[in-house]
């Protein structure tokens, strides 16, 4: 069985590659920086004694997505599990009034994810097997002034995955939405959260277990489900007055 992990330079993705490789699966990691992806693959290979190949993947090269997936299949065979770990939070302030900056965040977090998922869905439906894991965010559960460009793209991705799960259910293809709270990675470097921040290793173990258990929507750390249900319940008239 082969596992494709996109966004391999993410610490979460790197740890996930470990989880699957140590479990005996053949892994393919891909990142914008092919050399860095190769380093991740080598590290995974050495530390797990498993098989890990690598390649270059740029989420915004939409025209190249089909050829990229073909090259992955040529290397590791049919893709049984695909994990979309790429994402770009961008700079909310820079995106305000600058459509190009906003579009980049939307393209990486949403447009690219839809393009890849549709291609994966077509091949997995044909084989009536497979699992697609999309890493979304609690930021997508409610629009906030401090990060609504990234949040709306992640929210759209979560809604998309919901529909895709619904469509693919009868063909036996599993689709899982991961809604992460704060995780200690490059993305959150220097952020003062005030809320406990999860370790990438723990996140990878939780996602690995949830994927194998064919979970539908998965919050991690788990307490974020409760936090977000409270946040979502705040009436808009009050919410718009908050500086969140
Ligand atoms: N950290 C958190 O608190 C948190 C919370 C909620 C959700 N998430 C999500 O978790 C996932 C992993 O993020 P992370 O926290 O590990 O942050 P990260 O270290 O910044 O990882 C983001 C990954 O996305 C890749 N990426 C960005 N733009 C890309 C593009 N155009 N094409 C291909 N790859 C691209 C990055 O590759 P490069 O090395 O080339 O930049 C990197 O591998 C993301 O989807 C993120 O949105 C994170």
């Amino acid at each position: 069985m082969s596992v494709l992990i996109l966004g391999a330079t993410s610490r979460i993705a790197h740890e996930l590659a470990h989880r699957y490789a140590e479990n005996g699966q053949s892994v393919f990691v891909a990142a914008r920086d092919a050399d860095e992806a190769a380093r991740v693959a080598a590290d995974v290979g050495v530390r797990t004694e498993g098989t890990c190949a690598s390649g270059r993947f740029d989420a915004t090269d939409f025209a190249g997505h089909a050829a990229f997936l073909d090259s992955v299949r040529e290397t590791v065979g049919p893709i049984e599990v695909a994990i979309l770990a790429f994402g770009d939070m961008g700079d909310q302030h820079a995106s305000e009034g600058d459509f190009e900056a906003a579009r980049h965040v939307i393209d990486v977090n949403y447009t690219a994810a839809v393009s890849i998922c549709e291609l994966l869905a077509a091949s997995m439906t044909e084989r009536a097997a497979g699992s697609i894991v999309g890493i979304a965010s609690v930021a997508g559960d409610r629009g906030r002034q401090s990060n609504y460009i990234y949040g709306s793209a992640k929210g759209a991705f979560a809604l998309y995955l919901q529909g895709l799960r619904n469509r693919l259910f009868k063909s036996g293809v599993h689709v899982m939405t991961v809604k992460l709270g704060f995780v200690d990675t490059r993305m959150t470097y220097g952020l003062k959260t005030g809320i406990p921040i999860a370790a990438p290793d723990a996140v990878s173990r939780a996602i690995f277990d949830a994927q194998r258990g064919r979970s539908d929507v998965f919050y991690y750390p788990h307490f974020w489900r409760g936090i977000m249900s409270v946040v979502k319940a705040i009436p808009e008239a009050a919410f718009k007055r908050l500086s969140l």
Side-chain angles (χ1 to χ4, degrees):
M1 179 174 110
S2 66
V3 179
L4 170 64
I5 302 180
L6 300 170
T9 57
S10 149
R11 286 181 60 203
I12 299 166
H14 190 149
E15 290 293 342
L16 275 164
H18 273 264
R19 299 291 81 76
Y20 285 94
E22 71 193 1
N23 195 54
Q25 272 113 23
S26 176
V27 178
F28 191 108
V29 293
R32 273 191 294 196
D33 182 339
D35 292 340
E36 201 49 50
R39 276 190 279 277
V40 171
D43 176 68
V44 170
V46 166
R47 286 168 56 188
T48 65
E49 293 180 7
T51 313
C52 191
S54 69
R56 185 174 186 280
F57 168 75
D58 185 338
T60 55
D61 176 18
F62 308 125
H65 285 178
F68 164 75
L69 290 177
D70 284 344
S71 73
V72 174
R73 288 185 203 102
E74 272 164 30
T75 311
V76 291
I79 300 162
E80 303 252 359
V81 179
I83 303 178
L84 284 73
F86 58 86
D88 188 342
M89 190 149 69
D91 177 339
Q92 172 65 34
H93 292 301
S95 299
E96 289 167 9
D98 178 353
F99 178 61
E100 283 311 312
R103 184 161 71 178
H104 180 74
V105 173
I106 295 164
D107 277 351
V108 173
N109 294 289
Y110 183 57
T111 320
V114 171
S115 165
I116 281 290
C117 284
E118 286 300 311
L119 291 166
L120 288 165
S123 61
M124 288 181 177
T125 305
E126 235 170 59
R127 291 186 297 106
S131 182
I132 298 173
V133 177
I135 302 193
S137 169
V138 296
D141 276 6
R142 185 149 197 184
R144 291 180 293 118
Q145 61 177 293
S146 58
N147 76 344
Y148 64 87
I149 300 294
Y150 169 74
S152 63
K154 285 295 195 188
F157 182 34
L159 205 59
Y160 165 80
L161 289 170
Q162 197 171 40
L164 186 68
R165 177 163 44 247
N166 200 208
R167 171 163 85 84
L168 300 188
F169 174 67
K170 288 190 189 69
S171 39
V173 178
H174 166 238
V175 177
M176 181 167 103
T177 311
V178 180
K179 294 194 177 187
L180 293 182
F182 294 125
V183 184
D184 185 12
T185 66
R186 245 187 319 168
M187 195 173 271
T188 51
Y189 179 75
L191 205 71
K192 291 191 172 40
T193 63
I195 295 177
I197 187 159
D201 172 62
V203 173
S204 75
R205 288 176 197 282
I207 293 176
F208 177 77
D209 289 343
Q211 184 275 318
R212 289 163 63 81
R214 292 177 84 85
S215 188
D216 291 325
V217 181
F218 177 70
Y219 280 81
Y220 195 85
H222 301 296
F223 59 75
W224 276 97
R225 188 184 281 276
I227 292 179
M228 292 319 295
S229 61
V230 171
V231 170
K232 284 191 286 185
I234 300 170
E236 196 66 12
F239 199 77
K240 70 185 180 190
R241 292 180 165 79
L242 303 175
S243 300
L244 289 171

